[in-house]
Amino acid sequence: EADIYQTPRYLVIGTGKKITLECSQTMGHDKMYWYQQDPGMELHLIHYSYGVNSTEKGDLSSESTVSRIRTEHFPLTLESARPSHTSQYLCASSETGGARETQYFGPGTRLLVL
Amino acid sequence: QKEVEQDPGPLSVPEGAIVSLNCTYSNSAFQYFMWYRQYSRKGPELLMYTYSSGNKEDGRFTAQVDKSSKYISLFIRDSQPSDSATYLCALNTGGFKTIFGAGTRLFVKA
């Protein structure tokens, strides 16, 4: 079982609030990812990181930001939450080399913005 | 056109049936093919990983890749109610980005 954790699991918040979704992994993986998943839809890549101090935006236009100060930690921040941000957010990690690009996912954070 | 097409289902089968799940894709550069299983309100978990063409078997699960047809399949033998989940195919060219299908919802009835 993958050792990747996300908190909170569920969050209901009002419009305009700043929120941070936490993601941590204990596998020492270099690469980490944030995805957005809506029911019946593909996973959309929001941000990814190759390693410490390396972050890039994904395909999905997002008003969120990420940081990677430590290998194991990859938090996602929404400066001002809006109802359009309501979704499930999945964090994942993968190792470099070996069975490349097999990603290990956290349990997800379900966000509801009122 | 989407890079990966996957029938969303739902697919409902009786316990013990053989299940066939499929994805088609358009980019011939994909080399790595994965299947993930996602239970309700959980994150996806890796089920099968295949590099290039051919078959791979793991217990009741068999993954098949046909690169000439750009078609991948996951077979589940002797399906169990605990197999009820959404199954996502995932493809990668060898770079950082993995393309996921939208998933097929499977229900196995006892």
Tab-separated table of all heavy atoms in Angstrom, chain B residues 17-58:
chain	number	residue	atom	x	y	z
B	17	ALA	N	-18.371	-13.926	-13.561
B	17	ALA	CA	-18.247	-13.621	-14.993
B	17	ALA	C	-16.831	-13.152	-15.329
B	17	ALA	O	-16.076	-12.696	-14.454
B	17	ALA	CB	-19.262	-12.549	-15.385
B	18	ILE	N	-16.495	-13.265	-16.606
B	18	ILE	CA	-15.250	-12.669	-17.111
B	18	ILE	C	-15.584	-11.258	-17.601
B	18	ILE	O	-16.509	-11.065	-18.380
B	18	ILE	CB	-14.659	-13.500	-18.263
B	18	ILE	CG1	-14.265	-14.893	-17.777
B	18	ILE	CG2	-13.441	-12.786	-18.869
B	18	ILE	CD1	-13.821	-15.831	-18.877
B	19	VAL	N	-14.805	-10.303	-17.124
B	19	VAL	CA	-15.039	-8.908	-17.468
B	19	VAL	C	-13.953	-8.437	-18.420
B	19	VAL	O	-12.775	-8.752	-18.245
B	19	VAL	CB	-15.026	-8.032	-16.195
B	19	VAL	CG1	-15.163	-6.551	-16.558
B	19	VAL	CG2	-16.139	-8.460	-15.242
B	20	SER	N	-14.357	-7.685	-19.421
B	20	SER	CA	-13.411	-7.097	-20.368
B	20	SER	C	-13.587	-5.588	-20.361
B	20	SER	O	-14.670	-5.077	-20.619
B	20	SER	CB	-13.662	-7.641	-21.781
B	20	SER	OG	-12.865	-6.953	-22.725
B	21	LEU	N	-12.520	-4.876	-20.030
B	21	LEU	CA	-12.519	-3.410	-20.011
B	21	LEU	C	-11.510	-2.936	-21.042
B	21	LEU	O	-10.440	-3.530	-21.191
B	21	LEU	CB	-12.141	-2.908	-18.614
B	21	LEU	CG	-13.009	-3.420	-17.473
B	21	LEU	CD1	-12.366	-3.120	-16.123
B	21	LEU	CD2	-14.400	-2.818	-17.552
B	22	ASN	N	-11.837	-1.855	-21.742
B	22	ASN	CA	-11.005	-1.462	-22.885
B	22	ASN	C	-10.787	0.034	-22.970
B	22	ASN	O	-11.613	0.825	-22.503
B	22	ASN	CB	-11.676	-1.917	-24.182
B	22	ASN	CG	-12.115	-3.355	-24.124
B	22	ASN	OD1	-11.309	-4.267	-24.095
B	22	ASN	ND2	-13.427	-3.559	-24.069
B	23	CYS	N	-9.681	0.385	-23.613
B	23	CYS	CA	-9.395	1.771	-23.962
B	23	CYS	C	-8.789	1.813	-25.355
B	23	CYS	O	-8.041	0.905	-25.727
B	23	CYS	CB	-8.413	2.417	-22.978
B	23	CYS	SG	-9.107	2.792	-21.366
B	24	THR	N	-9.103	2.864	-26.084
B	24	THR	CA	-8.434	3.117	-27.356
B	24	THR	C	-7.700	4.440	-27.243
B	24	THR	O	-8.086	5.317	-26.460
B	24	THR	CB	-9.426	3.176	-28.526
B	24	THR	OG1	-10.397	4.204	-28.259
B	24	THR	CG2	-10.150	1.852	-28.700
B	25	TYR	N	-6.635	4.576	-28.006
B	25	TYR	CA	-5.848	5.805	-27.934
B	25	TYR	C	-5.374	6.193	-29.314
B	25	TYR	O	-5.429	5.397	-30.259
B	25	TYR	CB	-4.672	5.638	-26.966
B	25	TYR	CG	-3.670	4.571	-27.350
B	25	TYR	CD1	-2.528	4.889	-28.074
B	25	TYR	CD2	-3.858	3.250	-26.949
B	25	TYR	CE1	-1.602	3.924	-28.410
B	25	TYR	CE2	-2.935	2.269	-27.271
B	25	TYR	CZ	-1.810	2.613	-28.001
B	25	TYR	OH	-0.883	1.647	-28.329
B	26	SER	N	-4.929	7.431	-29.437
B	26	SER	CA	-4.569	7.945	-30.760
B	26	SER	C	-3.071	8.201	-30.931
B	26	SER	O	-2.578	8.222	-32.051
B	26	SER	CB	-5.338	9.241	-31.044
B	26	SER	OG	-5.108	10.188	-30.009
B	27	ASN	N	-2.336	8.372	-29.840
B	27	ASN	CA	-0.920	8.730	-29.912
B	27	ASN	C	-0.051	7.479	-29.930
B	27	ASN	O	0.048	6.767	-28.935
B	27	ASN	CB	-0.557	9.617	-28.718
B	27	ASN	CG	0.859	10.151	-28.792
B	27	ASN	OD1	1.634	9.768	-29.655
B	27	ASN	ND2	1.190	11.048	-27.881
B	28	SER	N	0.604	7.209	-31.044
B	28	SER	CA	1.425	6.005	-31.164
B	28	SER	C	2.691	6.068	-30.315
B	28	SER	O	3.417	5.082	-30.210
B	28	SER	CB	1.807	5.772	-32.639
B	28	SER	OG	2.496	6.899	-33.137
B	29	ALA	N	2.982	7.214	-29.712
B	29	ALA	CA	4.181	7.350	-28.876
B	29	ALA	C	3.999	6.760	-27.479
B	29	ALA	O	4.977	6.630	-26.732
B	29	ALA	CB	4.580	8.826	-28.760
B	30	PHE	N	2.782	6.412	-27.103
B	30	PHE	CA	2.589	5.818	-25.771
B	30	PHE	C	3.335	4.490	-25.684
B	30	PHE	O	3.252	3.650	-26.578
B	30	PHE	CB	1.104	5.591	-25.483
B	30	PHE	CG	0.333	6.850	-25.201
B	30	PHE	CD1	-0.834	7.137	-25.888
B	30	PHE	CD2	0.767	7.746	-24.236
B	30	PHE	CE1	-1.550	8.295	-25.629
B	30	PHE	CE2	0.057	8.909	-23.972
B	30	PHE	CZ	-1.097	9.185	-24.672
B	31	GLN	N	4.085	4.319	-24.589
B	31	GLN	CA	4.866	3.093	-24.394
B	31	GLN	C	4.506	2.377	-23.093
B	31	GLN	O	4.758	1.184	-22.955
B	31	GLN	CB	6.352	3.428	-24.325
B	31	GLN	CG	6.925	4.081	-25.563
B	31	GLN	CD	8.406	4.321	-25.372
B	31	GLN	OE1	9.207	3.390	-25.339
B	31	GLN	NE2	8.788	5.582	-25.227
B	32	TYR	N	4.028	3.139	-22.133
B	32	TYR	CA	3.729	2.592	-20.810
B	32	TYR	C	2.215	2.615	-20.616
B	32	TYR	O	1.568	3.638	-20.844
B	32	TYR	CB	4.418	3.419	-19.719
B	32	TYR	CG	5.907	3.465	-19.879
B	32	TYR	CD1	6.514	4.443	-20.653
B	32	TYR	CD2	6.724	2.521	-19.266
B	32	TYR	CE1	7.875	4.481	-20.824
B	32	TYR	CE2	8.096	2.552	-19.428
B	32	TYR	CZ	8.668	3.539	-20.216
B	32	TYR	OH	10.018	3.568	-20.377
B	33	PHE	N	1.676	1.475	-20.195
B	33	PHE	CA	0.232	1.322	-20.104
B	33	PHE	C	-0.116	0.795	-18.719
B	33	PHE	O	0.419	-0.220	-18.281
B	33	PHE	CB	-0.263	0.355	-21.193
B	33	PHE	CG	0.157	0.773	-22.575
B	33	PHE	CD1	1.347	0.313	-23.123
B	33	PHE	CD2	-0.634	1.639	-23.316
B	33	PHE	CE1	1.746	0.706	-24.386
B	33	PHE	CE2	-0.235	2.039	-24.586
B	33	PHE	CZ	0.955	1.575	-25.115
B	34	MET	N	-1.002	1.490	-18.048
B	34	MET	CA	-1.362	1.138	-16.689
B	34	MET	C	-2.879	1.012	-16.556
B	34	MET	O	-3.649	1.615	-17.315
B	34	MET	CB	-0.896	2.230	-15.713
B	34	MET	CG	0.587	2.298	-15.431
B	34	MET	SD	1.587	3.006	-16.748
B	34	MET	CE	1.114	4.741	-16.685
B	35	TRP	N	-3.285	0.236	-15.600
B	35	TRP	CA	-4.684	0.169	-15.182
B	35	TRP	C	-4.739	0.476	-13.690
B	35	TRP	O	-3.966	-0.076	-12.903
B	35	TRP	CB	-5.292	-1.205	-15.448
B	35	TRP	CG	-5.608	-1.438	-16.884
B	35	TRP	CD1	-4.819	-2.056	-17.817
B	35	TRP	CD2	-6.792	-1.044	-17.582
B	35	TRP	NE1	-5.435	-2.067	-19.042
B	35	TRP	CE2	-6.658	-1.453	-18.928
B	35	TRP	CE3	-7.969	-0.385	-17.212
B	35	TRP	CZ2	-7.640	-1.224	-19.890
B	35	TRP	CZ3	-8.947	-0.167	-18.163
B	35	TRP	CH2	-8.776	-0.585	-19.489
B	36	TYR	N	-5.643	1.375	-13.347
B	36	TYR	CA	-5.871	1.731	-11.956
B	36	TYR	C	-7.306	1.346	-11.579
B	36	TYR	O	-8.219	1.413	-12.397
B	36	TYR	CB	-5.698	3.244	-11.747
B	36	TYR	CG	-4.269	3.720	-11.786
B	36	TYR	CD1	-3.625	3.969	-12.998
B	36	TYR	CD2	-3.560	3.925	-10.608
B	36	TYR	CE1	-2.318	4.418	-13.036
B	36	TYR	CE2	-2.247	4.373	-10.636
B	36	TYR	CZ	-1.633	4.612	-11.856
B	36	TYR	OH	-0.332	5.041	-11.885
B	37	ARG	N	-7.469	0.994	-10.316
B	37	ARG	CA	-8.789	0.725	-9.761
B	37	ARG	C	-9.079	1.802	-8.733
B	37	ARG	O	-8.232	2.128	-7.900
B	37	ARG	CB	-8.800	-0.660	-9.104
B	37	ARG	CG	-10.103	-1.044	-8.446
B	37	ARG	CD	-10.025	-2.484	-7.939
B	37	ARG	NE	-8.984	-2.633	-6.942
B	37	ARG	CZ	-8.525	-3.839	-6.550
B	37	ARG	NH1	-9.008	-4.940	-7.080
B	37	ARG	NH2	-7.581	-3.897	-5.628
B	38	GLN	N	-10.289	2.347	-8.799
B	38	GLN	CA	-10.672	3.395	-7.858
B	38	GLN	C	-12.005	3.048	-7.212
B	38	GLN	O	-13.041	3.002	-7.889
B	38	GLN	CB	-10.759	4.756	-8.565
B	38	GLN	CG	-11.018	5.912	-7.625
B	38	GLN	CD	-10.964	7.271	-8.299
B	38	GLN	OE1	-11.121	7.371	-9.517
B	38	GLN	NE2	-10.740	8.324	-7.532
B	39	TYR	N	-11.957	2.817	-5.906
B	39	TYR	CA	-13.182	2.611	-5.155
B	39	TYR	C	-13.792	3.969	-4.837
B	39	TYR	O	-13.108	4.998	-4.807
B	39	TYR	CB	-12.896	1.837	-3.865
B	39	TYR	CG	-12.533	0.386	-4.104
B	39	TYR	CD1	-11.253	-0.087	-3.799
B	39	TYR	CD2	-13.458	-0.517	-4.613
B	39	TYR	CE1	-10.906	-1.412	-3.999
B	39	TYR	CE2	-13.131	-1.844	-4.828
B	39	TYR	CZ	-11.849	-2.286	-4.521
B	39	TYR	OH	-11.513	-3.604	-4.727
B	40	SER	N	-15.089	3.946	-4.556
B	40	SER	CA	-15.811	5.181	-4.283
B	40	SER	C	-15.156	5.937	-3.125
B	40	SER	O	-14.823	5.347	-2.096
B	40	SER	CB	-17.269	4.856	-3.938
B	40	SER	OG	-17.988	6.023	-3.675
B	41	ARG	N	-14.931	7.214	-3.321
B	41	ARG	CA	-14.379	8.116	-2.313
B	41	ARG	C	-12.950	7.747	-1.896
B	41	ARG	O	-12.528	8.030	-0.771
B	41	ARG	CB	-15.294	8.200	-1.087
B	41	ARG	CG	-16.694	8.679	-1.444
B	41	ARG	CD	-17.546	8.958	-0.242
B	41	ARG	NE	-18.881	9.393	-0.653
B	41	ARG	CZ	-19.180	10.632	-1.030
B	41	ARG	NH1	-18.246	11.569	-1.021
B	41	ARG	NH2	-20.392	10.952	-1.397
B	42	LYS	N	-12.251	7.085	-2.797
B	42	LYS	CA	-10.838	6.766	-2.550
B	42	LYS	C	-9.998	7.240	-3.743
B	42	LYS	O	-10.542	7.571	-4.811
B	42	LYS	CB	-10.650	5.248	-2.384
B	42	LYS	CG	-11.381	4.655	-1.204
B	42	LYS	CD	-10.669	4.978	0.082
B	42	LYS	CE	-11.370	4.382	1.292
B	42	LYS	NZ	-11.307	2.900	1.303
B	43	GLY	N	-8.684	7.249	-3.559
B	43	GLY	CA	-7.802	7.561	-4.677
B	43	GLY	C	-7.566	6.333	-5.541
B	43	GLY	O	-7.757	5.198	-5.087
B	44	PRO	N	-7.165	6.514	-6.802
B	44	PRO	CA	-6.864	5.358	-7.665
B	44	PRO	C	-5.681	4.560	-7.113
B	44	PRO	O	-4.745	5.136	-6.549
B	44	PRO	CB	-6.495	6.002	-9.003
B	44	PRO	CG	-7.081	7.385	-8.964
B	44	PRO	CD	-7.024	7.790	-7.530
B	45	GLU	N	-5.726	3.241	-7.280
B	45	GLU	CA	-4.608	2.393	-6.898
B	45	GLU	C	-4.147	1.606	-8.129
B	45	GLU	O	-4.962	1.135	-8.926
B	45	GLU	CB	-4.984	1.435	-5.767
B	45	GLU	CG	-6.153	0.537	-6.082
B	45	GLU	CD	-6.469	-0.451	-4.972
B	45	GLU	OE1	-5.534	-0.915	-4.297
B	45	GLU	OE2	-7.666	-0.756	-4.791
B	46	LEU	N	-2.834	1.495	-8.274
B	46	LEU	CA	-2.272	0.816	-9.431
B	46	LEU	C	-2.609	-0.677	-9.394
B	46	LEU	O	-2.394	-1.348	-8.385
B	46	LEU	CB	-0.752	1.001	-9.456
B	46	LEU	CG	-0.032	0.357	-10.641
B	46	LEU	CD1	-0.418	1.055	-11.930
B	46	LEU	CD2	1.474	0.412	-10.418
B	47	LEU	N	-3.117	-1.165	-10.517
B	47	LEU	CA	-3.504	-2.580	-10.627
B	47	LEU	C	-2.531	-3.351	-11.524
B	47	LEU	O	-2.043	-4.393	-11.161
B	47	LEU	CB	-4.919	-2.643	-11.211
B	47	LEU	CG	-5.792	-3.856	-10.957
B	47	LEU	CD1	-5.952	-4.121	-9.475
B	47	LEU	CD2	-7.153	-3.626	-11.605
B	48	MET	N	-2.265	-2.784	-12.686
B	48	MET	CA	-1.406	-3.456	-13.661
B	48	MET	C	-0.529	-2.427	-14.368
B	48	MET	O	-0.967	-1.306	-14.631
B	48	MET	CB	-2.233	-4.194	-14.711
B	48	MET	CG	-3.125	-5.294	-14.174
B	48	MET	SD	-2.189	-6.744	-13.678
B	48	MET	CE	-1.858	-7.501	-15.271
B	49	TYR	N	0.675	-2.836	-14.695
B	49	TYR	CA	1.621	-1.980	-15.427
B	49	TYR	C	2.230	-2.808	-16.553
B	49	TYR	O	2.716	-3.909	-16.317
B	49	TYR	CB	2.703	-1.492	-14.470
B	49	TYR	CG	3.909	-0.887	-15.147
B	49	TYR	CD1	3.896	0.441	-15.543
B	49	TYR	CD2	5.065	-1.648	-15.373
B	49	TYR	CE1	5.002	1.004	-16.154
B	49	TYR	CE2	6.162	-1.093	-15.990
B	49	TYR	CZ	6.137	0.235	-16.370
B	49	TYR	OH	7.230	0.796	-16.977
B	50	THR	N	2.202	-2.274	-17.773
B	50	THR	CA	2.744	-2.983	-18.921
B	50	THR	C	3.585	-2.036	-19.742
B	50	THR	O	3.202	-0.882	-19.970
B	50	THR	CB	1.611	-3.532	-19.824
B	50	THR	OG1	0.680	-4.253	-19.024
B	50	THR	CG2	2.156	-4.464	-20.890
B	51	TYR	N	4.720	-2.519	-20.182
B	51	TYR	CA	5.558	-1.747	-21.090
B	51	TYR	C	5.470	-2.371	-22.476
B	51	TYR	O	5.642	-3.577	-22.629
B	51	TYR	CB	7.011	-1.735	-20.615
B	51	TYR	CG	7.968	-1.143	-21.621
B	51	TYR	CD1	7.911	0.211	-21.941
B	51	TYR	CD2	8.903	-1.951	-22.275
B	51	TYR	CE1	8.779	0.755	-22.874
B	51	TYR	CE2	9.766	-1.409	-23.217
B	51	TYR	CZ	9.696	-0.048	-23.498
B	51	TYR	OH	10.552	0.486	-24.422
B	52	SER	N	5.138	-1.561	-23.478
B	52	SER	CA	5.053	-1.975	-24.874
B	52	SER	C	3.919	-2.981	-25.080
B	52	SER	O	2.976	-3.045	-24.300
B	52	SER	CB	6.397	-2.533	-25.335
B	52	SER	OG	6.421	-2.628	-26.751
B	53	SER	N	4.001	-3.784	-26.123
B	53	SER	CA	2.894	-4.674	-26.475
B	53	SER	C	2.947	-5.985	-25.713
B	53	SER	O	3.939	-6.327	-25.093
B	53	SER	CB	2.937	-4.974	-27.979
B	53	SER	OG	2.437	-3.912	-28.725
B	54	GLY	N	1.852	-6.734	-25.790
B	54	GLY	CA	1.825	-8.062	-25.209
B	54	GLY	C	0.855	-8.181	-24.064
B	54	GLY	O	0.046	-7.299	-23.811
B	55	ASN	N	0.933	-9.318	-23.392
B	55	ASN	CA	0.048	-9.626	-22.278
B	55	ASN	C	0.827	-9.666	-20.975
B	55	ASN	O	2.018	-9.979	-20.961
B	55	ASN	CB	-0.599	-10.998	-22.480
B	55	ASN	CG	-1.562	-11.019	-23.639
B	55	ASN	OD1	-1.740	-10.025	-24.333
B	55	ASN	ND2	-2.164	-12.154	-23.858
B	56	LYS	N	0.117	-9.365	-19.905
B	56	LYS	CA	0.689	-9.520	-18.577
B	56	LYS	C	-0.402	-10.034	-17.654
B	56	LYS	O	-1.517	-9.509	-17.662
B	56	LYS	CB	1.236	-8.191	-18.061
B	56	LYS	CG	1.926	-8.308	-16.715
B	56	LYS	CD	2.565	-6.995	-16.340
B	56	LYS	CE	3.315	-7.106	-15.039
B	56	LYS	NZ	3.964	-5.824	-14.675
B	57	GLU	N	-0.081	-11.054	-16.887
B	57	GLU	CA	-1.070	-11.667	-16.021
B	57	GLU	C	-0.662	-11.524	-14.564
B	57	GLU	O	0.520	-11.655	-14.212
B	57	GLU	CB	-1.215	-13.146	-16.379
B	57	GLU	CG	-2.361	-13.854	-15.703
B	57	GLU	CD	-2.527	-15.279	-16.220
B	57	GLU	OE1	-2.407	-15.484	-17.435
B	57	GLU	OE2	-2.755	-16.176	-15.381
B	58	ASP	N	-1.651	-11.259	-13.711
B	58	ASP	CA	-1.410	-11.175	-12.275
B	58	ASP	C	-2.657	-11.661	-11.570
B	58	ASP	O	-3.644	-10.940	-11.455
B	58	ASP	CB	-1.087	-9.727	-11.873
B	58	ASP	CG	-0.728	-9.617	-10.393
B	58	ASP	OD1	-0.730	-10.650	-9.684
B	58	ASP	OD2	-0.449	-8.486	-9.935
